[in-house]
Amino acid sequence: MTKPNVHAVHRDWDRDFPIIVRTEGIYVFDDHGRRYIDGSGGSSVVTSIGHGVEEVPRAMYEQAQKFSFYPAHAFTNQPFLDLSDLIVSLAPGEMRNNSRVWITCTGTDATDDAVRLARQYWVEAGQPSKYQVISRWQAFHGNNIAVAGFSGLAARRRIFQPMYVDSPHIPPAFCYRCYFEKSYPECGLLCARALDTAIRQQGPENVAAFIAEPVVGAALGGVPAPDGYFQMIREICDRNDVLFISDEVMTGWGRTGKMWGIEHWGVTPDIIATAKGMTAGYTPLSAIIARDSIWAVLEENRSPFKAGHTLNANAVSCAGAIVVINYMLSHDLAANSTARGQQALEGLRKTMAAHPSIGDVRGRGLMFGFEFVRDRATKEPYPPTLKVSSLLEKAALRHGLVTYPCTGAVDGGPGDMVLMAPPLTITAQEMDDLLTILDLAIGEVEETVS
Ligand SMILES: Cc1ncc(COP(=O)(O)O)c(C=O)c1O
């Protein structure tokens, strides 16, 4: 009999949280012996190489036997050096073998450090007025006060709003609910051109960076930007001397079918923030990768990067990350992500044909999702009081599938979505099982809310 919980605070007051006792491949098992497909890849989009790959804890154990912690102001560690070399050899476009890596702990640390670096770079480069970070509505970049300030989740922002630094947000690249009520490609990518406008409004001399997710995760349930979007963003950033930060916390490490999400647009960012799939959740670790030309300015000024946490570049975590990345490469998991992602979208489109409550199906590789609507023609969302994405999550869980419920499809307020991101190791049969349960769960939700 499991001891009742008295002291541990969980994400919700109104549900039971079964205890996980074992994980393997795409499955997690609870203390009642129930098996679930980890369809959200952890919470969420973390589990890249799947659960229970023994080489990872083995490498971490071997490192821990030597040491895990040491006075990091005076020494370094070999796994950190090796991991940095590996990451730079895999960086996209002109960043490949032409960048340097800063290793920290969480995705939020990475996005925070990415904007810190952008700001410090401009100060050190003799343009100290450049400080603004422009971001997008319906975006999520993490959860400390600074980062949540440039994230764009309207509902979540409300309570902490007075504590945020004021920063401009532009509309997302979200064709299904286009802010400009246009259709792609006739729209001429007004959503990208909005960055030009925002930079002019702030004055380019005040803008340090623009940050965006190539495929929007928790805030939009797997929405990739349309073709041409990031090419235009890159051109606008270049023309205005603004650094482009690609937030690859979710989209890195093969998740969308390429090593980096931004590679779908053939664009090289200036800074990448990444985490999650880099260690597949076996241990916390994150990184920023920035072009040599950025670090060079700090180096020439003999000015250390003004960031850092006590547990940065933890040797045990770095040893684990190296194994995870090599596993991902040797099993060509990015290719599996493309193939299984295609299967997922085809399967979901069939589900959509049978279920009028599904208004849109979207995604790239194994980062995909769908949106509920009360009326497909008008795209009217369900009332938030019905908590439709939460109903779906609970129904799927009863059938042994973990999904990630999201809200805020309509301007960050109402609008239920579901984000899916199973391990990149998922087989065709396992994907069929996942899709069967989703179809069943969607049917049950429709019955409940009709
Ligand atoms: C795009 C993106 N950036 C940053 C973060 C923050 O990462 P973490 O939760 O590890 O702090 C997340 C988390 O979901 C994310 O999806």
Side-chain angles (χ1 to χ4, degrees):
M1 182 68 185
T2 312
K3 231 171 58 181
N5 172 41
V6 181
H7 297 122
V9 177
H10 288 93
R11 293 181 179 207
D12 199 337
W13 303 112
D14 296 324
R15 65 189 284 172
D16 289 329
F17 287 87
I19 295 178
I20 288 297
V21 291
R22 193 166 74 80
T23 61
E24 184 183 339
I26 66 160
Y27 300 107
V28 299
F29 300 82
D30 73 12
D31 58 344
H32 299 290
R34 295 210 53 195
R35 186 182 85 167
Y36 308 82
I37 299 176
D38 183 1
S40 58
S43 293
S44 58
V45 197
V46 178
T47 318
S48 52
I49 67 167
H51 296 278
V53 177
E54 282 177 10
E55 297 99 290
V56 185
R58 201 179 305 131
M60 291 171 65
Y61 178 63
E62 279 167 17
Q63 177 56 43
Q65 280 181 312
K66 293 180 211 153
F67 66 90
S68 51
F69 193 60
Y70 58 93
H73 65 284
F75 302 93
T76 188
N77 73 80
Q78 195 60 46
F80 169 36
L81 305 181
D82 294 343
L83 177 61
S84 302
D85 289 346
L86 180 59
I87 292 176
V88 166
S89 75
L90 298 169
E94 300 121 52
M95 290 178 93
R96 182 153 307 171
N97 298 322
N98 196 19
S99 47
R100 283 178 245 178
V101 178
W102 170 265
I103 305 275
T104 181
C105 304
T106 69
T108 302
D109 298 335
T111 50
D112 192 70
D113 285 350
V115 300
R116 251 169 215 271
L117 180 61
R119 165 67 181 156
Q120 190 177 342
Y121 165 76
W122 287 118
V123 172
E124 306 267 354
Q127 298 199 53
S129 64
K130 283 170 100 61
Y131 76 99
Q132 289 276 20
V133 176
I134 301 179
S135 58
R136 305 188 295 184
W137 289 116
Q138 293 172 286
F140 183 64
H141 298 294
N143 234 346
N144 67 22
I145 293 294
V147 168
F150 59 77
S151 286
L153 294 180
R156 277 219 219 171
R157 288 170 60 88
R158 226 154 268 147
I159 187 168
F160 298 107
Q161 181 79 42
M163 302 164 79
Y164 294 152
V165 173
D166 184 28
S167 68
H169 291 70
I170 62 170
F174 184 22
C175 296
Y176 180 64
R177 292 187 183 276
C178 175
Y179 273 45
F180 304 93
E181 298 186 359
K182 302 267 188 214
S183 297
Y184 177 81
E186 294 76 37
C187 61
L189 290 167
L190 285 170
C191 52
R193 282 154 59 187
L195 177 60
D196 218 1
T197 311
I199 293 173
R200 262 185 283 115
Q201 285 165 339
Q202 301 302 319
E205 69 281 8
N206 297 314
V207 182
F210 172 67
I211 184 166
E213 303 155 80
V215 180
V216 182
L220 281 179
V223 171
D227 289 345
Y229 177 84
F230 281 111
Q231 291 89 330
M232 191 177 281
I233 291 290
R234 179 73 269 183
E235 185 277 319
I236 293 167
C237 286
D238 285 344
R239 184 155 39 76
N240 290 286
D241 262 354
V242 167
L243 298 179
F244 168 38
I245 302 169
S246 187
D247 181 346
E248 304 262 1
V249 168
M250 280 190 173
T251 51
W253 311 107
R255 173 53 64 185
T256 67
K258 291 189 185 285
M259 177 62 72
W260 307 103
I262 199 64
E263 288 180 300
H264 290 286
W265 289 265
V267 159
T268 308
D270 299 300
I271 304 175
I272 287 176
T274 191
K276 299 197 184 231
M278 183 165 117
T279 57
Y282 286 82
T283 179
L285 206 69
S286 63
I288 62 171
I289 316 163
R291 291 177 188 246
D292 270 341
S293 52
I294 293 176
W295 295 113
V297 171
L298 277 61
E299 190 178 20
E300 275 157 27
N301 293 349
R302 312 319 300 164
S303 175
F305 180 31
K306 292 175 181 47
H309 298 281
T310 308
L311 295 179
N312 269 11
N314 177 268
V316 174
S317 295
C318 288
I322 291 169
V323 178
V324 168
I325 296 168
N326 283 327
Y327 188 99
M328 188 226 134
L329 294 171
S330 62
H331 291 77
D332 203 1
L333 294 184
N336 196 50
S337 177
T338 302
R340 301 284 71 81
Q342 198 56 38
Q343 180 186 353
L345 286 186
E346 282 163 18
L348 274 179
R349 284 191 191 114
K350 280 192 200 137
T351 292
M352 181 171 165
H355 293 289
S357 67
I358 306 301
D360 187 42
V361 163
R362 56 235 193 178
R364 192 60 64 87
L366 282 173
M367 189 167 166
F368 57 95
F370 54 93
E371 184 172 330
F372 282 105
V373 285
R374 183 139 90 171
D375 181 328
R376 201 182 271 170
T378 62
K379 302 183 185 173
E380 180 196 345
Y382 283 99
T385 46
L386 289 180
K387 295 192 166 50
V388 168
S389 55
S390 187
L391 289 178
L392 183 281
E393 192 235 337
K394 285 175 184 145
L397 212 52
R398 282 196 298 276
H399 292 289
L401 170 66
V402 187
T403 59
Y404 196 74
C406 317
T407 54
V410 185
D411 302 332
D416 291 276
M417 305 163 286
V418 176
L419 176 64
M420 300 298 298
L424 305 181
T425 51
I426 193 168
T427 64
Q429 179 58 55
E430 289 168 340
M431 179 58 83
D432 276 344
D433 296 345
L434 180 156
L435 291 167
T436 302
I437 298 177
L438 264 187
D439 189 76
L440 203 64
I442 290 167
E444 287 180 9
V445 170
E446 279 185 350
E447 270 180 32
T448 310
V449 297
S450 63

